Amino acid sequence: MLQFLQLVASGVAQGCIYGLIALGFVLIYKATETVNFAQGDLMMVGGFLGLTGTLAMGMPFWAAFFAALVVMLFFGMALERAVLRPLLGQPAFTVVMATIGIGFLARGIVTMIPEWGTDTHVLPVPYKDQVVHVGGLVLSMEHIVIVAVTAMLILALYLLFKHTKIGIAMQATSQNQLAAFYMGIPVRRINMLVWGISAAVSAGAGLLLAPITFVHANMGFIGLKAFPAAVVGGFGSIPGALVGGLIIGVVETLAGFYLPEGFKDVAAYIVVLIMLAVKPNGLFGENLRKKV
Amino acid sequence: MRFLFKTDYQQDIRLFKHGGQAFWYSALAVALLAAPWLLSDYWISQLVFIWIYSIVSLGLMILVGFTGQVSIGHAAFLAMGAYTEAYLHAHGWPFVLSLGFSALVAGVTGIIVGLPALRVKGMYLAIATMAFGFIVEEGVARAEHITGGNAGKMLGALEVFGIPIDSELRMYFLTLIVLALVVLGVMNLMRSPTGRAFVAIRDSEISAQSMGINLARYKTTAFALSAAITGLAGALYAHKLRFISPEQFTFLQSIELLIILVVGGVGSIYGAIFGAAFWIVVQQLIVLAKDWLPPGIGQQTGLQPTIFGLILVAFVLFEPMGLYGRWLKIRTFFQLFPFYRKGLFRRQKSYMKSERLK
């Protein structure tokens, strides 16, 4: 039983990472109906930025964390302005291919930057290798920090969406772009900001993940597991993304322990296929049919 | 400018639209038959890859370009075809039989993968195919007694109707014949009621349904045909490389196949072949360029993904109709000279084509 709880705890931490990346997908999908295949690569760039902040520039970890978030906010906005905005109004497939291209570019360019390269790097964090004992459970500090910071990021986003003018404008845009446009909301700038926030959230995920895995150019592929998370939660739902992430994280960890070798890597995909067969709109998805 | 006055239905479905086409395609056929004697072995080998990739992209084109269902797990069908062929070949099946059986296995898998397509669409479907792709990739690596696992599997010498395929020249003709048959098959398919139903589904599911097209049946057919053709290519791919391992059928391979379609031009048979040719040539050029670039740039492992990414983004931004679209524009420019207008091929932009109901 204790072992089971132990596994669930580490699954939850892993699930928070998936949830944060899935959150990035969902934000962009809600605002622009585009699925961003470069989300994982944005996460990877965020991880490298944190690395440069702490190692090369000597910042304390949390300062580097927020610096990376801010840089990625602007990077995401610039990306939207340069690549995505000219594609406004094009079929979804075209835009998806553009984001795949961005992912390739990010991966390629990162390996060419001298200090970053193809090596795996260790991100030094102040809470490395600490553990906390809770009634027999041994929780590593890395996992606790992941859960805590995820909770804080979600709270910040919640406050943004519920109580600020910009947040409400974003909600309006995601519900109906045209109506929002008529109400005087600058839809394009809102979309740009959504891309920025989404990139920043992924960067946060990357920096939280870095102490557990490592920072390397291919760490973005973990973003592919956030797709199942987003689908399980319902693609258009923000709480759904997080819940989906947690489900995938826990299932994956349990599958890794109790099932034969090999199931850990495909557990997320088996879950998503079952979900699509049983409830295609996800746990929190809206069930709407298009009218003619 | 050539004007075609169609006076009956037979003329509408003719393979060669006019005499000019018949002439140029005959010229192309002669050039392709003569090519192996004019080129070095290295380039013949690259042509073989182009033919194989053309078959794969034709398969994917049926699904993505003609039926409008996105698949990002097509490498799985390639793997199905390749491993079935490797297994049957090792058990002494004659090539024609095992080739057909590989296509059949891939096609049946395609039907199974197509089942979610009946309920979900758009990105959900894409993610379902992606999930399937990952599961097959892992399955291939684990089923060691059939596939050889991560260590890979070797294929023995190939023999077709008693003729040993032991040189690049013979492989060239074998793949060319299969490609020609597939191209003819796809052309025929697209002028049949089935093909037209595919295009109707792509353009609007709701209107297709209103016109009495059975969505479930045609979507499943599209998946099956697409997977079968991809499986066919997989079998040839296995014989070309003589060695297959799970690393050749990854998620990135599926993405590359989609890039080929975008670069070539989505929604046309030419696009599939142009894209495949462009893709192979670019890869060879990158390899060649590595030798004369300064080592600081040439030896970077990131060079290839960067160039792929640049090509993809550039095509999406500046030429969404792909190479074939560019060719159409150039041709129209000369046909209409000097009356070509810039806006002739501009795609209509809607503010937002929403999939949602609100």
Side-chain angles (χ1 to χ4, degrees):
Chain A
M1 189 61 202
L2 201 61
Q3 188 178 41
F4 179 75
L5 285 178
Q6 190 76 52
L7 286 170
V8 169
S10 78
V12 165
Q14 186 69 32
C16 281
I17 300 288
Y18 293 149
L20 280 179
I21 306 171
L23 193 67
F25 287 133
V26 170
L27 284 174
I28 289 178
Y29 182 76
K30 266 180 93 79
T32 62
E33 290 191 32
T34 301
V35 181
N36 178 18
F37 271 79
Q39 203 75 42
D41 299 296
L42 291 176
M43 178 193 97
M44 175 263 298
V45 175
F48 273 106
L49 282 176
L51 195 74
T52 306
T54 47
L55 290 183
M57 294 162 74
M59 283 194 242
F61 175 71
W62 291 109
F65 186 91
F66 284 106
L69 250 53
V70 172
V71 172
M72 284 308 285
L73 181 78
F74 286 104
F75 182 72
M77 284 161 73
L79 207 58
E80 197 276 343
R81 183 67 197 84
V83 183
L84 279 310
R85 192 173 301 173
L87 294 175
L88 208 66
Q90 303 275 15
F93 176 65
T94 315
V95 186
V96 166
M97 290 313 287
T99 63
I100 289 176
I102 293 171
F104 267 94
L105 268 178
R107 239 171 292 137
I109 291 174
V110 158
T111 58
M112 289 199 196
I113 295 176
E115 288 298 309
W116 296 3
T118 47
D119 305 335
T120 51
H121 303 271
V122 183
L123 182 68
V125 288
Y127 51 83
K128 185 94 189 138
D129 291 335
Q130 296 173 17
V131 288
V132 177
H133 296 269
V134 184
L137 280 182
V138 184
L139 302 176
S140 82
M141 203 60 194
E142 283 112 342
H143 289 171
I144 293 175
V145 169
I146 288 176
V147 176
V149 175
T150 305
M152 279 193 280
L153 275 175
I154 299 286
L155 185 68
L157 281 176
Y158 175 78
L159 293 176
L160 176 77
F161 279 116
K162 272 280 182 276
H163 296 291
T164 66
K165 215 171 163 183
I166 288 182
I168 291 168
M170 281 179 186
Q171 280 196 42
T173 314
S174 78
Q175 280 177 10
N176 190 329
Q177 281 198 340
L178 203 56
F181 189 66
Y182 289 155
M183 291 295 127
I185 294 169
V187 172
R188 292 176 184 196
R189 260 184 285 158
I190 291 287
N191 282 353
M192 193 158 104
L193 196 61
V194 166
W195 267 84
I197 292 176
S198 167
V201 170
S202 319
L207 288 161
L208 290 173
L209 184 66
I212 302 180
T213 58
F214 291 101
V215 180
H216 55 93
N218 284 334
M219 81 188 279
F221 284 116
I222 203 169
L224 295 175
K225 287 226 180 99
F227 279 115
V231 170
V232 167
F235 223 104
S237 158
I238 290 177
L242 201 65
V243 173
L246 291 178
I247 292 174
I248 297 289
V250 171
V251 166
E252 193 182 66
T253 316
L254 293 179
F257 190 79
Y258 290 109
L259 293 178
E261 199 189 347
F263 272 95
K264 184 174 189 294
D265 292 326
V266 294
Y269 301 110
I270 294 174
V271 170
V272 77
L273 283 182
I274 294 171
M275 197 68 198
L276 282 173
V278 178
K279 202 167 182 303
N281 286 309
L283 293 174
F284 293 78
E286 308 150 328
N287 192 6
L288 295 171
R289 286 203 75 120
K290 196 175 172 182
K291 284 184 190 158
V292 187
Chain B
M1 185 89 199
R2 189 194 301 267
F3 291 100
L4 286 177
F5 292 105
K6 290 178 183 163
T7 48
D8 62 15
Y9 183 63
Q10 285 308 314
Q11 196 183 353
D12 193 43
I13 61 170
R14 205 170 278 168
L15 279 180
F16 297 118
K17 297 291 174 219
H18 49 79
Q21 272 194 346
F23 171 75
W24 284 113
Y25 284 118
S26 321
L28 179 68
V30 172
L32 288 179
L33 290 177
W37 283 278
L38 304 173
L39 294 170
S40 65
D41 255 12
Y42 173 78
W43 284 107
I44 297 174
S45 173
Q46 296 311 316
L47 277 175
V48 172
F49 275 118
I50 292 179
W51 303 152
I52 294 174
Y53 270 84
S54 298
I55 300 172
V56 186
S57 11
L58 276 169
L60 192 55
M61 189 66 90
I62 291 181
L63 195 63
V64 178
F66 293 134
T67 321
Q69 314 292 312
V70 179
S71 161
I72 38 180
H74 240 61
F77 299 125
L78 202 62
M80 283 284 170
Y83 278 103
T84 310
E85 172 67 27
Y87 184 80
L88 295 179
H89 184 73
H91 284 69
W93 283 44
F95 177 70
V96 179
L97 264 185
S98 64
L99 188 70
F101 201 76
S102 307
L104 188 71
V105 168
V108 171
T109 329
I111 293 177
I112 297 167
V113 179
L115 288 180
L118 308 181
R119 290 195 68 184
V120 300
K121 47 188 170 185
M123 282 331 293
Y124 289 94
L125 178 63
I127 289 164
T129 55
M130 182 179 100
F132 167 73
F134 275 111
I135 291 170
V136 167
E137 192 187 326
E138 190 66 28
V140 164
R142 297 287 160 189
E144 282 172 6
H145 52 288
I146 303 175
T147 63
N150 281 321
K153 196 175 174 77
M154 300 290 285
L155 273 89
L158 176 63
E159 200 172 272
V160 185
F161 293 127
I163 307 165
I165 306 293
D166 49 5
S167 65
E168 286 299 337
L169 185 72
R170 288 181 174 175
M171 196 67 199
Y172 174 91
F173 282 111
L174 175 68
T175 47
L176 186 62
I177 289 167
V178 177
L179 173 65
L181 291 177
V182 170
V183 169
L184 277 176
V186 174
M187 281 170 84
N188 261 324
L189 176 74
M190 292 324 292
R191 52 181 199 157
S192 72
T194 313
R196 293 184 177 190
F198 288 169
V199 174
I201 291 173
R202 175 191 69 187
D203 290 343
S204 164
E205 282 194 12
I206 294 175
S207 2
Q209 211 170 6
S210 323
M211 297 297 287
I213 290 170
N214 184 343
L215 288 188
R217 194 181 126 204
Y218 283 104
K219 278 189 186 177
T220 319
T221 315
F223 260 98
L225 283 174
S226 170
I229 294 177
T230 311
L232 203 69
L236 291 173
Y237 187 73
H239 278 299
K240 168 68 185 133
L241 288 182
R242 294 266 173 96
F243 173 78
I244 47 177
S245 72
E247 287 151 32
Q248 291 152 353
F249 309 106
T250 58
F251 174 70
L252 279 179
Q253 173 83 56
S254 306
I255 294 289
E256 280 182 19
L257 295 176
L258 280 176
I259 298 179
I260 289 177
L261 292 202
V262 171
V263 167
V266 178
S268 73
I269 294 172
Y270 300 97
I273 294 166
F274 286 0
F278 181 85
W279 194 244
I280 300 294
V281 170
V282 162
Q283 282 182 337
Q284 291 313 310
L285 287 183
I286 292 176
V287 172
L288 292 179
K290 274 186 178 165
D291 293 337
W292 53 261
L293 274 176
I297 302 172
Q299 296 310 314
Q300 293 276 5
T301 47
L303 186 67
Q304 201 174 356
T306 310
I307 292 175
F308 288 177
L310 271 179
I311 290 173
L312 182 56
V313 173
F315 265 98
V316 169
L317 280 180
F318 303 116
E319 190 53 278
M321 291 167 76
L323 286 173
Y324 179 60
R326 176 49 58 186
W327 158 240
L328 275 185
K329 285 173 192 173
I330 293 170
R331 198 178 65 182
T332 316
F333 176 83
F334 284 108
Q335 278 179 341
L336 293 180
F337 189 79
F339 299 117
Y340 183 82
R341 287 179 298 118
K342 255 197 159 166
L344 217 52
F345 282 92
R346 187 171 297 158
R347 229 193 293 192
Q348 264 198 337
K349 264 192 182 179
S350 54
Y351 188 73
M352 178 84 189
K353 215 171 148 188
S354 181
E355 289 291 317
R356 296 177 192 148
L357 161 88
K358 275 281 157 66

